[in-house]
Amino acid sequence: MSMTTRQRRLLDRARRSVASNPSLCLDSVERLLSSGADEVELLVLKARALLQINRGTEACALWQTVLGSRQPAPELQLEALTCFLKAFDYAAIKQFLPEVIAGLAHEEQAIVLCIRAAQAVRESELALELCQRLTTIAPGNPVHVCKLGTLYQGFGRMEEAERAFRKALSLDPDYQPGWYFLATLKKWSTADPSVRVGLEDFLRRHGDTGE
């Protein structure tokens, strides 16, 4: 869309103020919309500003419009999903999560966000599937491997959970959550001596808090 000089100035002001002065951004966007401008970017800017001032429900509605109007850029899909999570808009998460997953199937941080979203709407099997994919993409990350273990544990797949926790610790012996989940799983005070010895050694080196 071709803009007048005044409209371009308003757009520039909206872009610059969205984080520092969301009220000013909203004012600029509303003026642009009332002047006939219909750029998708205006809706994105408005949604960002609304979220900044804790008007999450309205921000989510705008993001749904953006996602439904055309195929948005992947980074906008992730931003929309983040907004839905912050605003606890579970209906929007359920509606758009498959679309986000399809477009960002090989992006590590995108999958991390999608796992959070899947868990938020109690899609445990989907979360597990995504985490399995994540550990294939980033097999050397103990955080992801440990997360996979907790998901296996949630399904009662204890042997697979234990293998995941042990793998996380093989990647980083000082990874505290790995020791915590493995010790919990094995009830270390009375069970597997290797877990008890390993945890005791970890606590000696890092203090009782693991810090």
Side-chain angles (χ1 to χ4, degrees), residues 105-173:
H106 303 293
E107 296 289 337
E108 180 179 351
Q109 293 307 310
I111 296 176
V112 170
L113 183 65
C114 289
I115 291 170
R116 281 183 54 206
Q119 290 186 292
V121 294
R122 302 183 185 277
E123 294 283 354
S124 300
E125 291 185 3
L126 176 58
L128 177 59
E129 177 188 331
L130 289 168
C131 200
Q132 289 170 330
R133 184 188 304 177
L134 181 62
T135 55
T136 301
I137 293 171
N141 189 320
V143 178
H144 301 335
V145 177
C146 191
K147 178 67 174 180
L148 180 61
T150 64
L151 291 169
Y152 279 137
Q153 192 171 7
F155 279 98
R157 295 163 63 173
M158 299 308 184
E159 291 183 3
E160 291 165 291
E162 180 180 346
R163 284 197 295 270
F165 296 144
R166 289 186 182 277
K167 182 177 179 182
L169 291 170
S170 73
L171 295 168
D172 181 1

Side-chain angles (χ1 to χ4, degrees), residues 44-81:
V44 171
L45 288 169
K46 186 175 181 179
R48 289 170 178 167
L50 287 170
L51 191 61
Q52 288 271 28
I53 56 175
N54 299 316
R55 290 164 62 180
T57 301
E58 295 168 82
C60 287
L62 285 171
W63 275 116
Q64 290 183 61
T65 300
V66 171
L67 295 181
S69 62
R70 63 183 71 180
Q71 184 62 36
E75 60 269 19
L76 293 183
Q77 289 182 310
L78 290 181
E79 191 174 348
L81 187 58

Side-chain angles (χ1 to χ4, degrees), residues 140-208:
N141 189 320
V143 178
H144 301 335
V145 177
C146 191
K147 178 67 174 180
L148 180 61
T150 64
L151 291 169
Y152 279 137
Q153 192 171 7
F155 279 98
R157 295 163 63 173
M158 299 308 184
E159 291 183 3
E160 291 165 291
E162 180 180 346
R163 284 197 295 270
F165 296 144
R166 289 186 182 277
K167 182 177 179 182
L169 291 170
S170 73
L171 295 168
D172 181 1
D174 290 334
Y175 183 58
Q176 182 182 4
W179 282 115
Y180 172 80
F181 287 115
L182 181 60
T184 302
L185 183 70
K186 299 295 288 184
K187 295 182 174 60
W188 73 278
S189 60
T190 58
D192 190 335
S194 68
V195 177
R196 184 172 65 250
V197 171
L199 182 57
E200 288 173 346
D201 177 65
F202 175 85
L203 293 176
R204 274 196 304 273
R205 288 182 288 114
H206 296 275
D208 290 343

Side-chain angles (χ1 to χ4, degrees), residues 21-42:
N21 190 343
S23 296
L24 179 61
C25 175
L26 287 172
D27 177 71
S28 301
V29 169
E30 291 298 343
R31 291 187 185 189
L32 282 163
L33 292 173
S34 65
S35 70
D38 60 356
E39 294 281 355
V40 170
E41 183 184 3
L42 298 180

